[in-house]
């Protein structure tokens, strides 16, 4: 129902919000623990977007207990009809 797609390729994470009207604040996605830098934002002005995500953001994962295991999530603002690419930093 959320129409969100997230996947990893190498040290890049791709997040797509295909919903035609819903933006999501603090959308949690399980990722490897660490620090991630915003590498691409399709909502940026140079792509004709509305600049709803601040450029150059750095995201840190947060531990979450799930089913007796410790997992890590990154929490994102995903505006409607946008894509974000985050690069994992060492």
């Amino acid at each position: 129902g959320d129409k969100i797609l997230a996947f990893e390729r190498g040290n890049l994470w791709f997040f797509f919000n295909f919903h035609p009207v819903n933006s999501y604040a603090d959308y949690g996605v399980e990722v490897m623990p660490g620090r991630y830098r915003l590498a691409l934002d399709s909502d940026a002005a140079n792509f004709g977007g509305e600049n709803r995500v601040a450029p150059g953001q750095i995201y840190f994962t947060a531990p979450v207990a799930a089913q007796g295991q410790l997992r890590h999530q990154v929490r994102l603002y995903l505006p409607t009809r946008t894509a974000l690419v985050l690069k994992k930093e060492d």
Side-chain angles (χ1 to χ4, degrees):
D2 289 349
K3 301 183 189 298
I4 299 293
L5 174 66
F7 62 92
E8 174 188 22
R9 290 287 181 265
N11 65 343
L12 299 175
W13 272 90
F14 299 81
F15 303 92
F16 299 88
N17 180 356
F18 292 108
H19 202 285
V21 293
N22 289 349
S23 294
Y24 301 103
D26 288 329
Y27 198 89
V29 179
E30 186 177 330
V31 297
M32 295 298 294
R35 171 183 159 138
Y36 294 80
R37 180 177 301 275
L38 182 61
L40 180 120
D41 170 18
S42 70
D43 195 46
N46 56 333
F47 295 118
E50 298 180 24
N51 276 330
R52 293 172 283 188
V53 176
Q57 286 195 63
I58 296 175
Y59 299 88
F60 295 91
T61 58
V64 176
Q67 300 171 351
Q69 295 181 356
L70 186 62
R71 299 175 185 246
H72 292 266
Q73 281 188 348
V74 64
R75 302 196 68 78
L76 305 168
Y77 173 53
L78 296 172
T80 182
R81 299 171 296 181
T82 60
L84 299 179
V85 178
L86 301 184
K87 182 176 182 180
K88 187 167 187 325
E89 297 187 330
D90 294 329

